[in-house]
Amino acid sequence: MTHWRADEWAEAVRAGIRSRGLSLDEAARRIGVPTSTLRSWIEHRHAPKVTVFDHWAQLAEVTGLGEAELLRVAGVLPDSLASPVRVAQAAKALREGIDRAGQFLRQATALVYSSPGTQVANAIAASPIDWEMRIRSATRGDEVRVTYHHYVGIVPPRDFPHDDAEVRRIIEHEILGELWRPLGLYWRVAEVHDWHEPPRLVIQVPEQEATRPPAPSPVVTAPPVVVLSPIWGYGELLASLVADGLGFGNVDFRYFGLPDTMADRVRITARELAGPAPRLVHSVPPIMLLHGLAVPDLTGRLPVVVRYGPRMRARAARIYRAPLLEAGFADPLAGARAIEEAVSVPPGCAYFEVTLADEDVFDGDRPSLDRLNDSVAWFAEQIVEQVLLTAGLPPVPLGGPLKRLVLSSGRVRRPPALAGRVVRRIAGRAPVEDRCGVAREK
């Protein structure tokens, strides 16, 4: 400290503080010392105590000089070393700045892609027509909370001179035209379970069940998955959870940006299902099975078939009454059974069969959507576990809501006692239950 250039250092600190427009009191507060201490550093014509180095980084930030420059003007750092030190510190600052910028961009990107409901609401609010919007989210589950999708309800102005069909056309094509297909939006026609008195016009905006690509880095070597489910069998949720758990992409044709006419929808869906797609999980749309869509060729894929009990079937027929009547069934329950009959696996094909038991779903006379959600999540976890084990990997879900079932020890919690189950079958053969609770074929 005997070579400290007190005058030059004190003047550099004073000038730096003035250039930042700070008073001594404010500068001292930011440095973390009393004002009297800072004043003693820059007004006394001798070297400060060595405790100044406890606050060196803050002092450099307040003055804007940088740590190396403060050392140089004080005479502590020789000029021959000052440049390399400044370069190293500049490189460090640049790296930190890039990291901060990257974090900001990642957060901004996540915000853009995780809030399609906000994009829809903003676009409708920007319309010159004074629409009334009512927005709700479908979030369910006790053990595994999942936000399925968002509802955007539309109420036209009282004096709006158009019927519902024209309102749909205006919103879909004139207001949300650039968002409708990319976001996979569609008009909800079935009962809105999560809304006691919904508006007549409701747009469904995907969240968990949205179509998305696989994770960037392949981890699991496993065949692509195709989920075959009856109506209201929650096959789309099961597919999305399995996809996240394996790091696969998810394809839910409800959110695929399909055309309006059913014939075109069936044609495009059949084309997309024609051959196995690596690292993807497809869920086959149940209603389309009544409009000419055939169960795809399952060669090279891992099928998952969902079954359920009579009470869930009856509930499904009531919820989807309008689409089933439109498909030509005078009795909606007959239409629900027809879809179940169409969901089949050819003999000799290995597949998982998921049974959703009425006992696990109904709470008295009404279904508990939270219990239904949790049951589907546990069954998805069991499928993921079996696929990972087969691939020689630890049986721990890789991503998505199923990660909430992983304990701090890294092990997955064991499922509760459920009447439903996951069974590993080969079509045409009877299963045998193993000790893990997932059946294996004879």
Side-chain angles (χ1 to χ4, degrees):
M1 301 288 287
T2 56
H3 302 292
W4 191 280
R5 296 199 290 259
D7 288 348
E8 185 177 342
W9 183 82
E11 179 55 36
V13 172
R14 282 197 300 270
I17 291 173
R18 284 196 303 269
S19 70
R20 307 294 290 273
L22 301 175
S23 66
L24 280 185
D25 290 339
E26 176 62 17
R29 186 187 67 78
R30 295 189 183 188
I31 295 169
V33 297
T35 303
S36 59
T37 298
L38 177 59
R39 184 175 288 109
S40 71
W41 289 349
I42 62 177
E43 291 184 357
H44 296 175
R45 299 309 180 190
H46 55 76
K49 295 179 180 180
V50 294
T51 53
V52 69
F53 291 106
D54 294 337
H55 307 278
W56 202 255
Q58 294 86 349
L59 190 62
E61 183 177 351
V62 164
T63 60
L65 295 174
E67 296 178 48
E69 180 63 12
L70 279 178
L71 290 172
R72 189 194 67 77
V73 297
V76 176
L77 184 67
D79 290 342
S80 61
L81 296 179
S83 293
V85 170
R86 280 199 295 270
V87 169
Q89 290 187 340
K92 177 185 176 184
L94 180 60
R95 285 195 302 270
E96 292 174 349
I98 291 173
D99 287 343
R100 286 194 296 271
Q103 183 180 11
F104 172 79
L105 288 174
R106 286 191 295 273
Q107 290 172 344
T109 301
L111 180 62
V112 168
Y113 286 108
S114 67
S115 56
T118 301
Q119 296 180 56
V120 171
N122 287 341
I124 294 174
S127 165
I129 301 172
D130 188 19
W131 309 105
E132 177 185 336
M133 280 187 293
R134 304 173 189 173
I135 302 175
R136 291 177 68 92
S137 294
T139 301
R140 305 168 197 156
D142 294 320
E143 295 186 84
V144 182
R145 295 289 285 171
V146 177
T147 298
Y148 290 52
H149 42 253
H150 309 282
Y151 300 122
V152 179
I154 308 295
V155 179
R158 290 181 178 273
D159 57 349
F160 200 60
H162 299 290
D163 60 14
D164 287 353
E166 180 63 12
V167 170
R168 287 191 181 95
R169 189 199 66 78
I170 292 171
I171 291 176
E172 181 177 341
H173 298 284
E174 298 180 15
I175 297 176
L176 297 177
E178 295 182 358
L179 297 175
W180 192 265
R181 296 197 180 214
L183 291 182
L185 309 178
Y186 74 94
W187 293 102
R188 176 84 181 193
V189 295
E191 175 185 324
V192 180
H193 318 301
D194 309 82
W195 208 335
H196 177 56
E197 294 182 354
R200 294 195 310 274
L201 303 174
V202 175
I203 300 172
Q204 190 155 318
V205 186
E207 187 70 33
Q208 170 61 34
E209 298 169 321
T211 293
R212 54 187 174 274
S217 301
V219 177
V220 183
T221 302
V225 179
V226 58
V227 177
L228 303 162
S229 169
I231 53 172
W232 206 62
Y234 278 59
E236 296 88 359
L237 173 64
L238 182 76
S240 71
L241 293 173
V242 169
D244 285 346
L246 297 176
F248 282 17
N250 181 58
V251 179
D252 185 333
F253 288 101
R254 296 175 302 169
Y255 305 119
F256 203 68
L258 293 174
D260 294 333
T261 61
M262 181 59 73
D264 289 337
R265 296 168 75 88
V266 169
R267 176 179 52 80
I268 293 174
T269 302
R271 183 188 67 199
E272 294 294 325
L273 290 170
R279 302 184 62 233
L280 284 179
V281 179
H282 286 87
S283 51
V284 176
I287 287 292
M288 289 192 192
L289 296 174
L290 300 179
H291 292 270
L293 180 66
V295 172
D297 180 4
L298 300 177
T299 304
R301 312 188 207 208
L302 175 60
V304 177
V305 177
V306 180
R307 305 292 186 191
Y308 51 31
R311 297 183 71 186
M312 284 195 67
R313 183 181 302 109
R315 176 79 175 178
R318 188 175 74 79
I319 292 172
Y320 285 88
R321 176 180 176 83
L324 291 170
L325 292 175
E326 182 183 341
F329 289 91
D331 179 6
L333 192 58
R337 289 197 182 96
I339 292 175
E340 288 184 89
E341 292 171 0
V343 174
S344 61
V345 177
C349 180
Y351 68 102
F352 285 105
E353 183 178 78
V354 176
T355 302
L356 297 173
D358 288 338
E359 301 94 306
D360 296 330
V361 174
F362 280 81
D363 187 2
D365 294 333
R366 294 187 60 82
S368 166
L369 298 181
D370 291 329
R371 288 173 57 182
L372 177 53
N373 174 91
D374 288 345
S375 297
V376 173
W378 278 114
F379 295 147
E381 191 284 322
Q382 291 178 42
I383 293 171
V384 169
E385 178 178 314
Q386 291 300 302
V387 173
L388 291 175
L389 284 172
T390 301
L393 297 171
V396 179
L398 301 178
L402 297 183
K403 290 288 285 184
R404 297 168 197 163
L405 299 176
V406 181
L407 301 170
S408 57
S409 64
R411 297 176 62 87
V412 179
R413 290 162 46 199
R414 299 317 303 164
L418 295 171
R421 61 179 186 162
V422 176
V423 174
R424 178 75 159 79
R425 289 183 180 273
I426 292 181
R429 303 183 189 178
V432 175
E433 194 76 21
D434 70 7
R435 289 178 296 176
C436 296
V438 178
R440 60 190 176 196
E441 65 277 4
K442 287 183 178 178

